[in-house]
Amino acid sequence: MWRLWRALQHILVGLLTILLRFPNLSQEQKEIRVQVWSREMLACLGIRLVVKGTPAEQGPVLLVANHISWLDITSLHAARYCRFVSKADVKKWPLIGALATGVGTLFIERESRRDAMRVVHHMADSLRAGDVLAVFPEGTTSDGVQLLPFHANLLQAAITAQAPVQPVALQFLDAHTGQRSLAPCYVGDDTLLGSVWRTVRSKGITVQLVFGESQMAMGRDRRAWAEDLRITIDQLRQLPPAV
C-alpha cells in the first residue's frame, strides 16, 4: 500500500508539472523532466532500472521495442526520452492517459487504415525534424516469454524519412534471482488494476533494457525490416540478465 500511495502521489506531481510548468519550459527541459520523473516513478514502485548498450544520443531515430506491460513506456523514458506511438485506448486510461498525452505521445486507432497512414506521415515529419520516436510493433502486450509477430506499417515512417531504427529488448526480471517476472504483465484477461497490484506487491523487480546498434533500411521493405528487427530483439533478450 505504501508503494501504491507513493506512486499515486508521484503521478499527481507529474500531472501538475505538465499543466503548470511545461508551458514555460524548453523542449530540452521537458525531456529532462520526463526522464527524471520516470526514474523516480520506477523507484516509487520498487523497480530497479538496468540499461545495457547505448541509447541514441540524438535524433532522428525510431526506437523499436517489444511490449509487455503498462510500465514499458515509463521504463523506456527512464533510459531515454522519446515520443511514443501508442494505441488510442491508452489515452482513456485514468491518470496514465493524461500523462501520456502531456509528454507528446502520438495516438493511433489501430483498426483504422486511414488513421494508421495519418500517423505514419506525422511520424515521418517528426523524424525529419530530428525527433526520437518509439513504437511497439507487436501491436499489443505479451507475457514476454515469446515475441509476437511484428507489424510493419509504422516502420514505413523511418523508410520515408531515411531515418535509422534502434532495436530495444525489454524484460522484467526478479531482482533476486534474475528469472523472468510476470508480475508487471498486462495481457489477456489481466486488468490494469490487477497488474498494478501484482507489481507493487512484488518483493523486487528489475527492468532490463538492452539497446542494440542503430540500423538503416538498406533497401529492405518494411516487412523484411520488421522481421529482421524481431530476430535482433529476440537475440538481445538472450543476453545474460542483470541480478
Side-chain angles (χ1 to χ4, degrees):
M1 289 300 296
W2 174 240
R3 284 181 179 174
L4 185 59
W5 175 243
R6 288 180 64 202
L8 288 173
Q9 285 183 314
H10 195 57
I11 289 173
L12 291 175
V13 169
L15 289 172
L16 289 174
T17 299
I18 289 171
L19 291 172
L20 303 179
R21 299 295 304 277
F22 268 31
N24 300 315
L25 298 178
S26 67
Q27 182 59 32
E28 183 180 2
Q29 289 172 324
K30 291 177 184 178
E31 293 177 7
I32 293 172
R33 289 294 182 97
V34 171
Q35 185 174 15
V36 171
W37 182 93
S38 298
R39 292 191 174 197
E40 291 174 347
M41 184 64 178
L42 293 178
C44 287
L45 295 169
I47 296 174
R48 183 169 68 109
L49 173 68
V50 172
V51 177
K52 295 186 174 183
T54 305
E57 291 186 6
Q58 60 185 15
V61 66
L62 177 64
L63 304 180
V64 170
N66 58 307
H67 198 13
I68 298 173
S69 170
W70 51 277
L71 272 170
D72 294 352
I73 291 177
T74 300
S75 300
L76 278 163
H77 268 152
R80 209 274 180 233
Y81 172 83
C82 47
R83 295 186 67 195
F84 277 91
V85 179
S86 181
K87 61 182 181 180
D89 291 351
V90 172
K91 194 174 184 178
K92 303 174 184 177
W93 288 2
L95 300 179
I96 293 176
L99 285 171
T101 301
V103 298
T105 301
L106 303 175
F107 294 103
I108 180 173
E109 295 284 352
R110 293 192 181 276
E111 296 78 13
S112 170
R113 183 176 179 83
R114 178 178 296 180
D115 196 57
M117 291 304 298
R118 174 189 66 82
V119 172
V120 167
H121 289 313
H122 194 166
M123 288 173 61
D125 289 341
S126 295
L127 288 169
R128 291 190 190 99
D131 284 351
V132 179
L133 304 182
V135 297
F136 299 119
E138 289 172 290
T140 187
T141 51
S142 73
D143 59 10
V145 178
Q146 299 290 335
L147 294 181
L148 299 176
F150 277 19
H151 299 286
N153 289 348
L154 298 182
L155 286 175
Q156 185 61 45
I159 295 174
T160 301
Q162 298 183 352
V165 166
Q166 184 171 29
V168 187
L170 185 150
Q171 294 187 86
F172 291 97
L173 308 169
D174 185 293
H176 304 289
T177 67
Q179 300 300 308
R180 181 177 290 107
S181 172
L182 299 179
C185 288
Y186 181 47
V187 62
D189 294 330
D190 285 337
T191 64
L192 178 59
L193 183 59
S195 178
V196 171
W197 185 241
R198 284 198 310 270
T199 301
V200 297
R201 290 183 67 234
S202 171
K203 294 185 182 298
I205 297 173
T206 293
V207 57
Q208 177 172 281
L209 299 175
V210 183
F211 287 81
E213 295 294 327
S214 296
Q215 55 181 265
M216 301 295 293
M218 301 297 289
R220 290 172 289 187
D221 64 24
R222 64 194 186 203
R223 291 181 178 83
W225 201 5
E227 183 56 30
D228 287 347
L229 286 166
R230 183 177 182 275
I231 292 171
T232 298
I233 289 174
D234 199 31
Q235 291 171 342
L236 293 174
R237 291 177 349 126
Q238 309 309 318
L239 293 178
V243 180

